[in-house]
Amino acid sequence: NFFASWCNPCRDEHPDLQAAWNRYRDQGMVLLGVMYQDSEAGARDYLEELGGDWPILEDPGARAAIDYGVFGVPETVFIAPDGTVAHKVVGPVTYPQLSTWITRLAGEAA
């Protein structure tokens, strides 16, 4: 999930990310937050305010964002068990979208 502390739509989707993390992390789902044009302090304050204990990654030079074709935030990329991009959501992701793709990809991993 590419996000930024200054991004209002990121704040809108955050409860859905939190709910999916809480439901699926013990089933092998991995959620990574990737800071997009943001500071470490900004991201830390964002998570302290909104909650969330998933790993947050820096993206120096926006290399990962470029590789994944990110145009802005939020954007969420679903990675299949074989490492390929299975789906991408541009804009705020919803819990139903998260649940659908997590469940679908978990079935592929089985």
Side-chain angles (χ1 to χ4, degrees):
N1 176 257
F2 290 87
F3 79 101
S5 61
W6 45 262
C7 165
N8 287 329
C10 297
R11 291 176 176 273
D12 293 341
E13 76 175 359
H14 194 85
D16 294 281
L17 291 168
Q18 182 74 53
W21 175 245
N22 289 340
R23 178 171 178 194
Y24 294 107
R25 69 177 170 186
D26 290 338
Q27 298 173 35
M29 184 270 286
V30 176
L31 173 61
L32 300 173
V34 182
M35 294 184 289
Y36 181 80
Q37 299 178 357
D38 206 348
S39 68
E40 184 179 342
R44 183 178 53 250
D45 291 346
Y46 174 89
L47 288 177
E48 284 178 12
E49 176 188 343
L50 299 178
D53 61 350
W54 53 86
I56 301 299
L57 308 172
E58 293 184 51
D59 186 15
R63 290 184 186 128
I66 292 167
D67 288 346
Y68 284 100
V70 173
F71 292 100
V73 285
E75 290 192 22
T76 302
V77 180
F78 294 86
I79 308 296
D82 67 3
T84 60
V85 173
H87 186 66
K88 181 177 174 184
V89 175
V90 176
V93 68
T94 65
Y95 182 82
Q97 290 171 312
L98 290 161
S99 184
T100 295
W101 280 97
I102 292 166
T103 302
R104 183 176 296 167
L105 294 172
E108 290 179 15

